[in-house]
Amino acid sequence: MNRNYSPLRKISLPLLLTAALGAATLVWTQGTPTYAAEQVVNQPQQAATFQTLTPDWEKTIRKPKYGVDEEVSTYANGRVYYKLKEKIVATEVTSGKTKWTVPVTMAAPPTADTTALYVINKQNVLYRLDQKTGKTLWKSSIPHPGVKKKPVPQNIRVQGNLVITGDSAVLTAFDRTSGKLKWQNRTTSKAGYYVEQSSSSIIIATPSRSIYEHSIPLYALDSRNGRLLWKTTAKYEKMLTVQNGYIYSQKYTSSKSKSDTVHIDKLDLQTGQLVQTFDYSIKNDVGFGWSLNVDYYDGDFYVRTTINYDNRQWGLFRIPLDAPSGSKPAASYSFYTPIYRVDFSKDVLAVALMDENVYFLNRQNGQRLGVSLFESNFFNTTLNAETHFLIQTAGKISAVKIPKTSKVEAAVTGDKVGEINQ
């Protein structure tokens, strides 16, 4: 989903807000407080907390083009690792300085532990690279006996002394230290595997799928031998998180079943049995736009959807983990254009919008902290790199420093623009 892109550019806040559909409404509600973008323009004393953020550095990683490239970058231990043509590059996040370049072509998102980086290339060879130097510590081919069509790598996870890979044909585990093949599972799923989560004894996987597929079962596999332990009969939009021995997943709702309710199932990790379903009513303009999309971060679910298409209102709703079924969202955020994606740091939300802006909000109180303006709305990924958000779009990676948050909520002045929680 990338297209033509140029570096972030400075722009005055009034001009930015005028360009974004004229009266660009950005609302946060939690009880009665409401913030709106117009108030920032009209109140000079607040504008200082809502600044245009430019990147500390940028890297061109490929020729700008329309559409998405493979998800091929990751952050670990102070460095971002990304694909540059037929090579992998390691760059320091704080300085943008390139530390090493290795001729390995990423074919799936790499992953890391404390000292090594794990990468799959287009020939389905798994590499373990030293993070400091890029030196190859070992490499192992992923076997695909009897598979005629070349498998497509999906992702990699590290669990204890295992490196687990999923592709469009098999689930494979290697010894993390030696690279020796430990086991494979090719019978549970005809569609291949995507590794969702893993613990010391259980791996949770889903079938490999296209972006157009929305209903999937969950598989639990024994991490010692890859054997299937259980499979859900219910279908899910996505798995959200594993917490305290339970799996939380967003339940699949057919497009024919128009609904203002998001359903989250709580499953027992050991058995796959349903423990509880949480239903939360979310204002959703089901006739125009996207279905309810749920993400999880640090104790909260974040639901994004279309609130009111005609009034140009798209929303992000925060719901605490295990909030009683039927609870109203703890906080709500409203935007004037569709939300492309949301990413998280400890204190800040990065909300990428279809109008080519990324807004940065205080995760606790919704205060606007800053905005970055791009010339493309096709954001490939936004990574939390501790000190920076790494924003990747249309051929470039931009490192935008995470703005500092204030423990004191911003004062509310001026008239209210509107309430999301009615």
Side-chain angles (χ1 to χ4, degrees):
M1 298 182 189
N2 301 310
R3 63 180 182 184
N4 291 336
Y5 174 94
S6 68
L8 297 179
R9 48 194 171 90
K10 293 183 179 179
I11 186 170
S12 69
L13 182 59
L15 177 59
L16 183 152
L17 295 169
T18 301
L21 300 181
T25 303
L26 169 62
V27 179
W28 170 71
T29 65
Q30 185 169 359
T32 56
T34 303
Y35 299 93
E38 290 91 342
Q39 294 174 344
V40 179
V41 176
N42 296 330
Q43 302 294 329
Q45 69 271 24
Q46 293 188 37
T49 64
F50 190 44
Q51 58 187 318
T52 300
L53 304 175
T54 55
D56 285 352
W57 56 263
E58 291 182 320
K59 297 284 185 180
T60 299
I61 56 176
R62 59 180 171 82
K63 185 181 293 186
K65 65 180 181 180
Y66 184 86
V68 291
D69 194 23
E70 299 94 338
E71 194 78 15
V72 291
S73 61
T74 193
Y75 165 79
N77 305 316
R79 294 181 180 180
V80 57
Y81 303 90
Y82 58 91
K83 174 184 173 184
L84 182 63
K85 296 182 179 179
E86 302 302 312
K87 299 177 181 179
I88 180 172
V89 180
T91 294
E92 282 188 346
V93 167
T94 53
S95 67
K97 182 178 180 180
T98 296
K99 303 302 291 184
W100 51 258
T101 302
V102 173
V104 175
T105 303
M106 296 187 202
T111 193
D113 55 25
T114 56
T115 60
L117 185 74
Y118 302 87
V119 186
I120 298 178
N121 70 3
K122 292 182 178 179
Q123 288 70 46
N124 287 289
V125 177
L126 175 66
Y127 288 79
R128 186 187 193 208
L129 306 178
D130 184 278
Q131 286 184 23
K132 290 185 177 180
T133 64
K135 178 183 177 181
T136 299
L137 302 175
W138 54 252
K139 60 180 181 179
S140 299
S141 294
I142 301 173
H144 295 96
V147 178
K148 295 181 180 180
K149 188 176 181 180
K150 187 178 180 180
V152 178
Q154 296 297 310
N155 70 331
I156 314 166
R157 280 196 179 270
V158 176
Q159 174 191 289
N161 200 40
L162 292 179
V163 183
I164 306 160
T165 68
D167 61 39
S168 57
V170 299
L171 187 72
T172 309
F174 295 90
D175 184 275
R176 184 166 63 93
T177 304
S178 66
K180 181 181 178 181
L181 177 68
K182 300 291 289 185
W183 52 257
Q184 280 193 312
N185 184 314
R186 62 182 70 248
T187 60
T188 296
S189 171
K190 295 181 180 179
Y193 302 85
Y194 182 90
V195 188
E196 297 281 355
Q197 297 270 356
S198 56
S199 67
S200 59
S201 59
I202 295 177
I203 299 164
I204 304 298
T206 54
S208 173
R209 58 176 176 170
S210 74
I211 61 173
Y212 304 105
E213 293 178 278
H214 296 284
S215 60
I216 53 173
L218 304 182
Y219 306 132
L221 303 107
D222 191 320
S223 63
R224 297 170 298 179
N225 50 35
R227 293 177 182 173
L228 180 67
L229 298 174
W230 53 259
K231 172 185 175 182
T232 60
T233 54
K235 299 296 182 68
Y236 295 94
E237 291 273 358
K238 64 167 70 172
M239 179 179 160
L240 300 171
T241 185
V242 174
Q243 298 290 327
N244 301 318
Y246 298 102
I247 301 170
Y248 295 81
S249 295
Q250 180 186 359
K251 204 165 188 176
Y252 171 71
T253 301
S254 169
S255 58
K256 297 180 181 179
S257 304
K258 296 182 179 181
S259 175
D260 287 337
T261 304
V262 61
H263 310 280
I264 297 176
D265 276 0
K266 180 180 181 179
L267 309 174
D268 186 282
L269 176 62
Q270 299 297 324
T271 65
Q273 294 298 308
L274 177 64
V275 175
Q276 188 176 359
T277 297
F278 298 91
D279 296 327
Y280 303 110
S281 180
I282 300 291
K283 186 172 177 58
N284 176 32
D285 194 342
V286 294
F288 296 92
W290 305 335
S291 61
L292 298 161
N293 192 303
V294 185
D295 296 303
Y296 173 83
Y297 181 79
D298 191 29
D300 291 304
F301 298 114
Y302 290 83
V303 184
R304 47 193 163 96
T305 191
T306 305
I307 299 174
N308 190 308
Y309 182 87
D310 291 334
N311 290 341
R312 309 298 298 168
Q313 198 176 25
W314 283 263
L316 176 66
F317 302 83
R318 179 171 65 84
I319 302 171
L321 177 74
D322 279 349
S325 188
S327 299
K328 291 183 178 181
S332 306
Y333 312 77
S334 176
F335 300 88
Y336 48 81
T337 192
I339 303 167
Y340 187 84
R341 60 178 296 130
V342 181
D343 290 275
F344 312 89
S345 71
K346 178 182 178 182
D347 299 314
V348 177
L349 297 174
V351 185
L353 303 181
M354 284 296 187
D355 74 338
E356 303 167 357
N357 291 293
V358 177
Y359 281 94
F360 302 94
L361 308 179
N362 184 311
R363 198 167 69 86
Q364 300 303 320
N365 62 31
Q367 178 187 5
R368 296 169 310 280
L369 303 172
V371 65
S372 292
L373 176 65
F374 291 78
E375 290 188 353
S376 170
N377 64 2
F378 285 86
F379 298 100
N380 191 22
T381 188
T382 308
L383 300 173
N384 169 23
E386 297 182 78
T387 58
H388 293 70
F389 277 112
L390 300 171
I391 300 170
Q392 184 176 335
T393 179
K396 285 194 176 182
I397 292 178
S398 302
V400 179
K401 186 173 292 183
I402 298 175
K404 293 182 180 180
T405 59
S406 173
K407 294 183 180 180
V408 180
E409 293 188 6
V412 179
T413 59
D415 296 331
K416 293 181 180 180
V417 175
E419 295 281 355
I420 297 177
N421 293 333
Q422 300 293 338

